[in-house]
Each structure stands twice: as C-alpha cells, then as structure tokens.
Amino acid sequence: MSTQLVLKGVVQDARPNESIFRPVTVISTATGNLSEKDITDEITAFPAKDDVYSEDFASTVVIQLPTGTALENPINLSSIEQHSLTKSNVHYSTVIPTEILLPSGPYFVHDTGIYEVWRLYSDELDAFEIAVIPEAVHSPAKFPPLNMLDQQGLWKSIAVPSRLYAKESQQHPLAGARISVKDNFKLAGIKTTMTNRAFTQL
C-alpha cells in the first residue's frame, strides 16, 4: 500500500508512531518523468558507486518530488520480473521548494525525522589520531570528535557518509571524496595538537 510521506526539508516524517529506525531508499526527481526502469537502473547501480548502501535499504522506496508535481505514470515495482525490488514498498514524498529535494540514496526514517546513513569503519591500522563527524550535516562548521570503538573494543570507529549524497560536477570535482586532515591544521571542534601532547595545554 502506498502512503504519503511529507518530508519538510530533511528532518520531518509522517510516521509519528514509528519507534524504530527503518532503512529506506529515496529516489528524488525534479520532474514527473520517472519510470520503473529508471528506478531499478538507479538503485541497481548504487552498490557499485557506494560502500554504505546495501540491499536492506531497498525494502522501502520513497519517491520524492517537488510539491505540485505528479508522476506521469504510476510506479509499480511488483510488475518487474526477476528483480529484488518486486517486494519493495513504495511511498511518495513532496517538498517545497525544489532546492531541498534529498539526494537519492540510503536513509533511515524515524518518528523524529529522516536521517543520513553513515558507515563505521574500524581503524585497524591506527591511521587516525581523532575521528570526527560534522555537527550539522548540511552546513558543517564544526567537527566534534567521535568517541567510539568498534565492536571488539580494539580500534577507533571512523564514520563515513554515503557517497551518493554528493554529486560530482565541474564546480565540485571532489564531491563525494573522503579526506583526512593532518593535525597541524586547525579544525573547528577539536584541539590542534601537531602530534605533540604539549600543544593540548595551549
């Protein structure tokens, strides 16, 4: 059964009684020109582009359009033979304005909103002094430390976002790239140590 999800910006959800984080795949389109093949082709390509996405997110597909836009043809993924998406639940979401359409990709839906998905890697080579995450995902101005160990309690956890949230372009050629910052550069949210404990006292 299809239901209407209204995502105002990026933090609103129309399932207030849901108490768990549910994995969903958001497919955003600025127009109503979207077919079952477009959706399956895009989702099928996700795993090759992204190490965060998994098939678990395909159990629910949220099609997001600008308010006032309607699909030219209804979406029926169950009609696609021999595809893992045939059992997916399909929902629809509208937003105002077009500029705040979520990037297509994996998300978690909760009764408090919709959230980006980040993967935790174990720093088994002890390559990082400090793991950080942005305080505000969409306008990162501060990067507080992520104080978390892996499940074995041995290594720091390093969080990385889905590559699908950033689209590479001529203006943004490094969009989606993951970088490390040497600790001789100042980064808002953490101490600049220059790998020297004495600097922590300054």
Side-chain angles (χ1 to χ4, degrees), residues 143-160:
F143 296 83
L146 174 65
N147 298 313
M148 182 180 294
L149 297 177
D150 65 3
Q151 291 183 341
Q152 298 178 15
L154 298 175
W155 310 107
K156 291 187 294 290
S157 291
I158 308 298
V160 297

Side-chain angles (χ1 to χ4, degrees), residues 24-47:
V24 304
T25 295
V26 170
I27 299 295
S28 292
T29 175
T31 69
N33 186 18
L34 189 70
S35 67
E36 287 90 349
K37 186 177 185 303
D38 295 330
I39 295 174
T40 54
D41 287 350
E42 185 167 6
I43 293 179
T44 301
F46 281 170

Side-chain angles (χ1 to χ4, degrees), residues 186-199:
K186 290 187 176 181
L187 184 66
I190 62 171
K191 278 275 190 179
T192 303
T193 67
M194 299 191 186
T195 320
N196 188 326
R197 292 181 182 272
F199 278 94

Side-chain angles (χ1 to χ4, degrees), residues 102-124:
L102 292 171
S104 296
Y107 292 86
F108 283 116
V109 171
H110 188 261
D111 56 6
T112 56
I114 186 166
Y115 298 90
E116 288 189 357
V117 179
W118 289 52
R119 180 172 179 173
L120 295 176
Y121 279 102
S122 298
D123 183 18
E124 296 180 358

Side-chain angles (χ1 to χ4, degrees):
M1 177 183 295
S2 296
T3 60
Q4 180 75 10
L5 296 182
V6 182
L7 308 180
K8 299 177 182 176
V10 294
V11 291
Q12 294 295 322
D13 170 46
R15 291 181 169 272
N17 296 322
E18 190 168 292
S19 60
I20 61 172
F21 285 89
R22 190 168 96 179
V24 304
T25 295
V26 170
I27 299 295
S28 292
T29 175
T31 69
N33 186 18
L34 189 70
S35 67
E36 287 90 349
K37 186 177 185 303
D38 295 330
I39 295 174
T40 54
D41 287 350
E42 185 167 6
I43 293 179
T44 301
F46 281 170
K49 299 177 181 178
D50 186 39
D51 56 343
V52 175
Y53 187 86
S54 71
E55 288 189 359
D56 294 332
F57 292 95
S59 60
T60 300
V61 177
V62 177
I63 300 171
Q64 190 173 63
L65 308 104
T67 297
T69 303
L71 289 176
E72 294 181 4
N73 299 296
I75 299 297
N76 181 16
L77 296 181
S78 62
S79 64
I80 305 173
E81 297 181 358
Q82 297 181 344
H83 200 288
S84 59
L85 292 175
T86 56
K87 296 181 180 179
S88 298
N89 297 310
V90 179
H91 304 272
Y92 298 89
S93 166
T94 56
V95 295
I96 305 174
T98 307
E99 287 75 15
I100 60 174
L101 280 172
L102 292 171
S104 296
Y107 292 86
F108 283 116
V109 171
H110 188 261
D111 56 6
T112 56
I114 186 166
Y115 298 90
E116 288 189 357
V117 179
W118 289 52
R119 180 172 179 173
L120 295 176
Y121 279 102
S122 298
D123 183 18
E124 296 180 358
L125 298 178
D126 207 19
F128 297 92
E129 291 288 336
I130 303 173
V132 298
I133 53 174
E135 191 171 69
V137 173
H138 296 283
S139 55
K142 192 174 182 181
F143 296 83
L146 174 65
N147 298 313
M148 182 180 294
L149 297 177
D150 65 3
Q151 291 183 341
Q152 298 178 15
L154 298 175
W155 310 107
K156 291 187 294 290
S157 291
I158 308 298
V160 297
S162 169
R163 299 179 191 271
L164 300 172
Y165 301 146
K167 300 297 182 184
E168 184 180 338
S169 65
Q170 187 173 358
Q171 293 76 21
H172 303 93
L174 298 179
R178 294 168 183 160
I179 64 171
S180 59
V181 179
K182 288 179 65 67
D183 59 2
N184 59 340
F185 291 97
K186 290 187 176 181
L187 184 66
I190 62 171
K191 278 275 190 179
T192 303
T193 67
M194 299 191 186
T195 320
N196 188 326
R197 292 181 182 272
F199 278 94
T200 64
Q201 306 302 317
L202 298 179

